[in-house]
Amino acid sequence: MIDDLPGGLTARHLTEEDHLRVLAVVDAWWGGLKGQAGALERALLLPRLYFQHFTTTSFLIERDEEQLAAFLVGFLSQTEPDAAYVHFVGVDPQLHGQGIGRALYRAFFALARSHGRRYVHCVTSPQNTASRSFHTRLGFTVSPVKPNYDGPGLDRVAFTIDLAAHPVRPT
Ligand SMILES: CC(C)(COP(=O)(O)OP(=O)(O)OC[C@H]1O[C@@H](n2cnc3c(N)ncnc32)[C@H](O)[C@@H]1OP(=O)(O)O)[C@@H](O)C(=O)NCCC(=O)NCCS
């Protein structure tokens, strides 16, 4: 499913049983970004429905002994036939910098392409500088900060990549 992972890691699609396992790690993996308010925001961003109705476009990576290593929750846009969307992505901090985030996106891009999708979109908090750097390295364009984008006080920056302008397997 994802053939370019470091040794000892395996990938599969999400299942409903993964919901609480993923929720259990997000706060630590996001390094407590934005404190208590950030923790609540993140928990509310991952309701069970993503683990029920978006499983075939989402991925989970595990270490030996089924320890969670990374995940990507994404979907094909219902509204825009040429677009796909990455809703949430996280990699265990102990595994950062090994190309796992890039491998997850590569798999999602391939899936999006196979469904005729040309653009991939996502958003992040302006405070999430790691996410901004990561998406920029992958070739996404970054918008200016969009105030109140996700509700009062929930500013975001938006990322977009045009898959037609990028090689099938970016290195
Ligand atoms: C953002 C995140 C997913 C990156 O995962 P990762 O597996 O460490 O990233 P990769 O190793 O695949 O890196 C891919 C590229 O992005 C760059 N990159 C990744 N994190 C970076 C950071 N914090 N600062 C600068 N560049 C970064 C890498 O240098 C690499 O570039 P290169 O291949 O050209 O050298 C990970 O840091 C994470 O889970 N963060 C917490 C959760 C989060 O913020 N998610 C995104 C918002 S929903």
Side-chain angles (χ1 to χ4, degrees):
M1 176 171 290
I2 303 180
D3 55 12
D4 45 5
L5 292 170
L9 299 181
T10 52
R12 59 173 172 78
H13 286 301
L14 281 185
T15 68
E16 188 167 351
E17 287 66 43
D18 296 319
H19 181 217
L20 295 181
R21 292 177 68 203
V22 171
L23 278 187
V25 299
V26 286
D27 228 26
W29 286 15
W30 264 249
L33 187 73
K34 292 164 65 181
Q36 196 81 17
L40 181 60
E41 220 182 289
R42 283 186 288 279
L44 293 175
L45 279 169
L46 277 180
R48 182 169 288 260
L49 68 92
Y50 285 105
F51 297 78
Q52 294 170 318
H53 300 292
F54 297 87
T55 57
T56 56
T57 52
S58 301
F59 300 95
L60 185 113
I61 297 177
E62 289 169 312
R63 278 181 250 218
D64 298 334
E65 294 160 24
E66 299 188 346
Q67 221 186 330
L68 206 60
F71 66 89
L72 181 151
V73 176
F75 53 86
L76 305 172
S77 173
Q78 296 280 317
T79 314
E80 297 178 24
D82 60 354
Y85 190 90
V86 175
H87 175 63
F88 228 56
V89 59
V91 175
D92 182 338
Q94 292 179 10
L95 300 170
H96 282 181
Q98 297 184 36
I100 298 169
R102 189 186 279 279
L104 278 168
Y105 270 75
R106 207 180 264 143
F108 187 75
F109 291 166
L111 188 144
R113 278 194 173 96
S114 74
H115 288 271
R117 308 300 166 122
R118 174 172 173 176
Y119 300 100
V120 176
H121 304 290
C122 45
V123 299
T124 201
S125 300
Q127 295 92 336
N128 196 340
T129 50
S131 176
R132 290 170 77 151
S133 303
F134 168 74
H135 286 94
T136 304
R137 286 300 297 164
L138 261 57
F140 283 83
T141 57
V142 188
S143 77
V145 174
K146 295 172 178 276
N148 304 319
Y149 181 85
D150 265 338
L154 300 176
D155 301 351
R156 298 286 183 258
V157 291
F159 306 113
T160 298
I161 191 167
D162 177 356
L163 298 179
H166 287 268
V168 172
R169 288 179 65 86
T171 55

